[in-house]
Amino acid sequence: MFDSIETLIHQAELQGSIAEAVICAEIENSGKSREAILTLMGKQLDVMLRSVEQGIQGVQSKTGLTGGDALKLQTYLESNETLCGPIVVRAVAGAVATNEVNAAMGRICATPTAGSAGVAPGVLSALIERYHLTREQQINFLFVAGGFGLVVANNASIAGATGGCQAEIGSASAMASAATVEILGGSPREAEQAFAMTIKNMLGLICDPVAGLVEVPCVKRNALGAAQALVSADMALAGVRSAIPSDEVVATMYKVGKELPRKFRETGEGGLADSPTGRRFEAEIFGESNSKL
């Protein structure tokens, strides 16, 4: 579909928006009708928003490592003047909610992976609440995010096992940031800048799941990714630009991911997974004989 961010932006400028460029490309590549494609994306949207709603009500993972934090954040938001402002905390709560549902074996929509599935729904749910987005705008948000994610998947990696957490949370956050800019009226070029600045700020992020589970620190990294997405969107809408072109940023993320040691690529052998408490959790969950203590 798109072999580079530059190609995506060029097509968006020709067709009026990134969402429209992605929809048209999907029609051409899949052979499906516009209505069928929009319906399918609408179903994915519904899954995302249900996961946010479910998680905010409070869920618990099978291991007990994660759960209940989205509810705490929502309660805090409703009863306190937050430091970061309501839209950021709402996005953070939604991101945590989604990944707590994932950890509890609930249904989520991978965006782009299960481990990074909270960022886009968290950001989108906050935008819906703040700006009363129409359903069309909500669906377009996902097409924009998907367009950028497709380029990353084709030119770098969206998997922690090959690129570290920068490939998962970094990609998810950049996708959500770019989508936020377009939905709030920014130009395709401004969306591109948000995308680039987000990945730049997450380069080198390791993937170090405690006990090899997508819980610690994954859930909270989704929270910080959602916040980063909104910060980058604000910067781009203010006219701030990335000094490094977006396609070079993607290429750099790919290079950095290849150079990360194996223990920092989802193996559960390094980082927080190798901390004393991380190893204790592993032993408690899987037993001493199967742990790396």
Side-chain angles (χ1 to χ4, degrees), residues 4-83:
S4 67
I5 300 296
E6 185 61 32
T7 301
L8 172 62
I9 299 305
H10 177 68
Q11 287 300 314
E13 291 174 337
L14 290 177
Q15 298 187 45
S17 71
I18 300 170
E20 183 61 22
V22 175
I23 292 169
C24 289
E26 183 65 21
I27 292 171
E28 181 179 348
N29 280 270
S30 70
K32 297 177 181 178
S33 67
R34 174 181 289 268
E35 181 181 1
I37 289 168
L38 294 179
T39 297
L40 179 58
M41 188 63 89
K43 290 179 179 178
Q44 294 170 338
L45 170 66
D46 292 338
V47 170
M48 292 183 190
L49 297 182
R50 279 198 297 270
S51 67
V52 171
E53 182 180 355
Q54 180 184 353
I56 283 178
Q57 293 173 359
V59 295
Q60 194 74 33
S61 72
K62 301 292 185 181
T63 65
L65 283 178
T66 57
D69 286 340
L71 175 58
K72 292 176 184 175
L73 283 161
Q74 185 63 26
T75 302
Y76 171 73
L77 176 61
E78 292 171 353
S79 57
N80 291 272
E81 182 178 346
T82 65
L83 294 171

Side-chain angles (χ1 to χ4, degrees), residues 232-265:
S232 294
D234 258 338
M235 291 173 69
L237 290 168
V240 178
R241 296 182 60 84
S242 169
I244 309 299
S246 57
D247 283 311
E248 292 184 31
V249 172
V250 172
T252 299
M253 184 176 75
Y254 178 60
K255 181 179 179 181
V256 170
K258 288 175 65 178
E259 293 174 350
L260 282 176
R262 179 181 178 276
K263 66 181 180 179
F264 296 141
R265 288 186 279 121

Side-chain angles (χ1 to χ4, degrees), residues 268-292:
E269 296 176 354
L272 295 173
D274 196 35
S275 67
T277 299
R279 291 303 183 198
R280 176 172 60 80
F281 284 140
E282 182 184 24
E284 291 173 354
I285 294 167
F286 296 114
E288 292 284 350
S289 61
N290 293 322
S291 75
K292 298 180 178 65

Side-chain angles (χ1 to χ4, degrees), residues 127-144:
L127 295 177
I128 292 170
E129 185 175 284
R130 172 65 177 81
Y131 296 102
H132 308 291
L133 301 184
T134 64
R135 184 163 177 86
E136 180 182 9
Q137 288 176 309
Q138 295 170 38
I139 290 174
N140 283 345
F141 177 102
L142 298 182
F143 278 114
V144 177

Side-chain angles (χ1 to χ4, degrees), residues 169-212:
I169 300 297
S171 297
S173 303
M175 291 160 57
S177 189
T180 297
V181 170
E182 171 145 309
I183 295 308
L184 295 186
S187 69
R189 288 292 174 189
E190 288 172 332
E192 175 196 9
Q193 298 308 307
F195 170 87
M197 288 187 285
T198 302
I199 288 185
K200 283 166 59 178
N201 282 294
M202 292 194 166
L203 284 176
L205 185 60
I206 64 174
C207 184
D208 53 344
V210 169

